[in-house]
Amino acid sequence: LTHYLERLLQELRQEDEARQTGDLINRVKNYIQEHFAENLTLTVLSELFYVCPAYLSRLFKKKTGVNFVEYLTTIRIEKSKEFLADPSLMIYTVSEMVGYENPRYFSRLFKEALGCSPQEYRNQLP
């Protein structure tokens, strides 16, 4: 009976930990969605959420399947696609709006992600 209770208690702790870590990652993802244009780093996020950067990095990868930088880049590229639909916005402006100070770097990441430059993408829009 004691062994059964210990095992049950251990399982409950693991479930509680999984729920808490899942909640942490959901809060981090929500923060990234709202602040994608800011200078976001694991260090910044770890300070905001009171966890160690290495722990946050491992946990983020475990819960999302991608690392933090990949996730942030994906969010930024998706947001940039929305902004590129507005022809009045220059590419360098879109770059800044999604958090990239260097438009060339932004264009390189965009092309790696979508296979075309931001300008080519914009030209393909209806």
Side-chain angles (χ1 to χ4, degrees):
L1 182 62
T2 304
H3 177 70
Y4 172 76
L5 289 175
E6 287 174 355
R7 201 170 90 205
L8 182 61
L9 186 59
Q10 180 182 12
E11 288 177 18
L12 288 172
R13 284 185 191 135
Q14 289 173 345
E15 286 177 18
D16 187 47
E17 181 181 332
R19 187 172 51 254
Q20 288 176 0
T21 57
D23 182 51
L24 169 64
I25 295 306
N26 285 335
R27 290 188 344 236
V28 169
K29 286 170 55 178
N30 287 337
Y31 188 87
I32 293 169
Q33 287 279 345
E34 294 172 12
H35 301 269
F36 63 89
E38 298 172 16
N39 183 25
L40 291 181
T41 64
L42 278 171
T43 302
V44 168
L45 291 171
S46 65
E47 290 173 1
L48 285 168
F49 292 96
Y50 305 105
V51 293
C52 171
Y55 173 72
L56 181 57
S57 177
R58 282 192 311 274
L59 187 60
F60 196 91
K61 173 80 174 182
K62 180 180 178 182
K63 295 289 183 178
T64 66
V66 295
N67 69 39
F68 162 72
V69 172
E70 291 170 324
Y71 184 83
L72 178 59
T73 301
T74 299
I75 297 299
R76 287 176 168 175
I77 296 299
E78 288 303 310
K79 295 293 184 181
S80 71
K81 287 166 52 178
E82 294 172 23
F83 296 137
L84 287 168
D86 181 350
S88 69
L89 295 173
M90 303 300 290
I91 302 295
Y92 67 85
T93 304
V94 171
S95 173
E96 292 171 357
M97 291 172 70
V98 296
Y100 294 109
E101 293 178 16
N102 184 332
R104 287 185 182 158
Y105 180 65
F106 163 70
S107 292
R108 191 179 90 216
L109 289 176
F110 193 96
K111 188 164 188 163
E112 287 175 8
L114 298 178
C116 63
S117 71
Q119 188 62 53
E120 291 168 338
Y121 177 83
R122 176 178 271 169
N123 292 341
Q124 295 171 6
L125 293 175

